[in-house]
Amino acid sequence: MQITINVNGEDYTREIEPRHLLVRFLRDDLGLTGTHWGCDTSNCGACTVLLDGKPVKSCTVLAAMAAGHEVRTVESLEVDGNLDPVQQGFIEKHGLQCGFCTPGMLMTARALLNENPNPTEAEIREAISGQLCRCTGYLNIVRAIQWAAEHSTAKTVGS
Amino acid sequence: MQVPAPFEYQRAKSVDETLALLQRFGDEARIIAGGHSLLPMMKLRLARPEVVIDINDLHELDYVRQEGSELRIGALTRHRTLLESELIGRFFPIFHDAERVIADPLVRNRGTIGGSLCQADPSEDLSAVCAAVKAQAVIRGADGSRVVSMDEFHLGPYETAVGPGEMLVEVRIPVWQNAGSAYEKVERKAGDWAIAAVGAAVSLNNGRIADAGFGYAAVGILHAHQVEEAVRGKEPSEELFAEAGRIASEVCEPITDTRGSAEYKRHLAGELTKRALRRAVARAAGREA
């Protein structure tokens, strides 16, 4: 079947099988390998992208279900060489070690700050509760998102 | 890489079109909404539908509203909507209690109440919630709608009253007077299925429990009518809460698995019944917002 998905502001039309998963569509068909493919069971959240502005696990969404909708991946965060505050926050506060969970964490953080520019620590922890990080113990990820909230200007990249 | 077996994809635009597709494809078809139960099962070949009918465009089934003395929830209402609904929280705080501990925010962005109830996973939270508040399920088929109680809807693990060619379209909950409700769950980690969970709903009249409902997840039963009968007409007290818990741990039928021993779950069913009832009563009496 033929589908068109708007990814990072651009329409992409591809011929796919109905069983094709959104994560594979992004990685294999579009070459957007920033979205990581982790556990494949909706547990780890590494594959998190924004679907119509809301974070979802793209290993558990059929590409066909996303047809006609807007998807944002981690590749959309940097604009004209300028990092999104959530990206800068992960650098400033060392919010990553191996980096595997990072794209998903960044997208969840972006979605959170779009809706709630000044989240509490509890709200940040709740927002990332569907994502696993095996390295950091989460503390620096929380600090990174707090840093991003403090350093965000009016711009809402990825919203 | 886990990928479902091949299937045909249909995107429905209305309830009528969905029903027509279900009629056409019969047992080979499965409805997909959030997909967070069905897709993992399809990846593992525990489900292998030949046709998948996507109902995410059925916005007519995405609502929470009050109609007369009932609260009505469309089957496509997402977990996130339920969690954020002021109307739900005002009448049935049990839904907010449960939604806070159902999976995680990302899954809650996709999953729906209809999908949860139709999946009928024995550890699923909303079935227990709906049992506790004595919800009714509206099932539509080619010949019209029928309304069934949760007792009639939930036939057992992964089995509901929704027949071939039919779909769940709405959940109706009678709004109780002087009522309170609460959900208590113990899980291994954030977002996990319950080791055990209990929902309780009560209405008070002249300081006594006029009516009560209890719903259970992960302990082998959905209802515990014996507990309801034991508290009905009684004055709330710590002794009564303990008695309700004692009965619940006797009538539940948990099994030993990776989440815990049957003995431990039996203990939890009792303890959580006590806590949920205590909180529901406090809320009904206006002692807890």
Side-chain angles (χ1 to χ4, degrees):
Chain A
M1 62 184 290
Q2 196 181 63
I3 62 164
T4 300
I5 305 180
N6 186 289
V7 180
N8 300 333
E10 205 171 314
D11 280 344
Y12 293 90
T13 301
R14 294 288 188 279
E15 190 68 32
I16 62 154
E17 266 193 279
R19 62 174 169 166
H20 205 41
L21 299 166
L22 180 57
V23 65
R24 308 304 308 187
F25 179 83
L26 296 170
R27 289 178 57 87
D28 298 350
D29 298 354
L30 305 189
L32 296 172
T33 53
T35 299
H36 285 173
W37 164 54
C39 69
D40 216 352
T41 59
S42 321
N43 278 295
C44 81
C47 65
T48 299
V49 300
L50 305 192
L51 180 60
D52 296 331
K54 293 194 178 73
V56 302
K57 296 175 182 181
S58 61
C59 76
T60 313
V61 177
L62 296 173
M65 293 168 82
H69 293 270
E70 290 182 4
V71 172
R72 292 263 171 193
T73 70
V74 70
E75 283 89 352
S76 72
L77 291 181
E78 181 203 320
V79 177
D80 298 331
N82 297 312
L83 294 182
D84 186 282
V86 297
Q87 293 175 305
Q88 195 64 43
F90 273 67
I91 296 171
E92 300 293 334
K93 296 297 174 185
H94 197 69
L96 68 159
Q97 287 178 34
C98 87
F100 196 80
C101 72
T102 309
M105 289 288 184
L106 290 171
M107 296 316 286
T108 299
R110 180 33 58 212
L112 172 68
L113 296 183
N114 286 348
E115 288 182 7
N116 180 0
N118 296 299
T120 63
E121 183 183 333
E123 286 168 337
I124 293 171
R125 287 184 178 276
E126 167 66 13
I128 62 169
S129 63
Q131 290 165 285
L132 298 177
C133 169
R134 301 281 83 151
C135 310
T136 67
Y138 303 100
L139 191 59
N140 284 356
I141 292 173
V142 173
R143 286 177 180 154
I145 298 172
Q146 286 172 323
W147 187 97
E150 288 158 14
H151 291 80
S152 285
T153 54
K155 75 170 181 172
T156 53
V157 180
S159 65
Chain B
M1 178 176 59
Q2 296 181 349
V3 175
F7 55 85
E8 183 184 329
Y9 173 88
Q10 297 275 345
R11 190 185 280 205
K13 298 285 181 220
S14 67
V15 171
D16 289 338
E17 191 189 339
T18 309
L19 292 173
L21 287 165
L22 287 170
Q23 288 290 317
R24 198 167 115 209
F25 294 110
D27 282 347
E28 313 303 335
R30 288 289 290 273
I31 289 175
I32 196 166
H36 278 61
S37 294
L38 183 57
L39 279 177
M41 287 181 73
M42 287 169 64
K43 288 178 178 181
L44 295 170
R45 303 300 191 272
L46 295 172
R48 201 166 172 171
E50 289 181 17
V51 181
V52 168
I53 304 171
D54 181 354
I55 61 163
N56 280 286
D57 287 347
L58 270 55
H59 306 295
E60 60 191 293
L61 295 186
D62 183 2
Y63 57 85
V64 179
R65 60 176 175 247
Q66 189 180 2
E67 276 189 35
S69 60
E70 281 182 339
L71 204 64
R72 297 188 172 186
I73 305 171
L76 196 68
T77 306
R78 314 265 173 201
H79 291 300
R80 178 181 176 152
T81 308
L82 293 173
L83 180 57
E84 293 176 350
S85 164
E86 186 274 333
L87 191 60
I88 290 258
R90 192 176 349 138
F91 289 121
F92 296 106
I94 186 174
F95 271 92
H96 282 188
D97 290 348
E99 286 294 354
R100 278 188 200 100
V101 291
I102 290 175
D104 57 61
L106 288 73
V107 172
R108 294 199 293 262
N109 281 336
R110 295 293 294 169
T112 65
I113 184 171
S116 291
L117 296 187
C118 289
Q119 176 72 7
D121 188 296
S123 301
E124 193 276 309
D125 298 285
L126 287 189
S127 296
V129 168
C130 286
V133 299
K134 302 185 180 180
Q136 294 186 308
V138 183
I139 299 169
R140 249 182 81 180
D143 301 329
S145 297
R146 58 197 177 99
V147 183
V148 301
S149 69
M150 280 305 290
D151 273 322
E152 297 160 321
F153 180 84
H154 198 283
L155 301 180
Y158 308 105
E159 201 181 349
T160 72
V162 181
E166 291 186 322
M167 69 184 293
L168 174 69
V169 290
E170 187 178 77
V171 176
R172 295 179 180 171
I173 312 168
V175 174
W176 302 15
Q177 300 300 315
N178 301 316
S181 57
Y183 195 69
E184 297 281 348
K185 173 175 171 176
V186 171
E187 71 263 58
R188 296 177 301 180
K189 63 178 180 64
D192 197 5
W193 298 99
I195 300 171
V198 180
V202 297
S203 62
L204 300 182
N205 188 14
N206 291 325
R208 289 179 182 274
I209 294 175
D211 199 2
F214 293 88
Y216 292 80
V219 292
I221 56 170
L222 182 65
H223 293 91
H225 296 302
Q226 301 93 327
V227 182
E228 296 174 14
E229 283 156 22
V231 303
R232 199 173 289 133
K234 304 276 175 56
E235 209 171 308
S237 66
E238 277 303 316
E239 290 71 31
L240 185 68
F241 304 156
E243 173 68 359
R246 191 187 60 74
I247 297 171
S249 54
E250 273 176 16
V251 300
C252 68
E253 299 166 9
I255 54 162
T256 296
D257 63 14
T258 53
R259 289 194 167 77
S261 67
E263 187 188 14
Y264 173 51
K265 294 178 187 179
R266 206 174 274 286
H267 165 75
L268 282 181
E271 181 61 30
L272 297 181
T273 295
K274 193 164 77 177
R275 290 185 201 170
L277 178 58
R278 184 191 291 132
R279 254 172 97 198
V281 166
R283 283 171 170 169
R287 291 199 303 272
E288 187 194 333

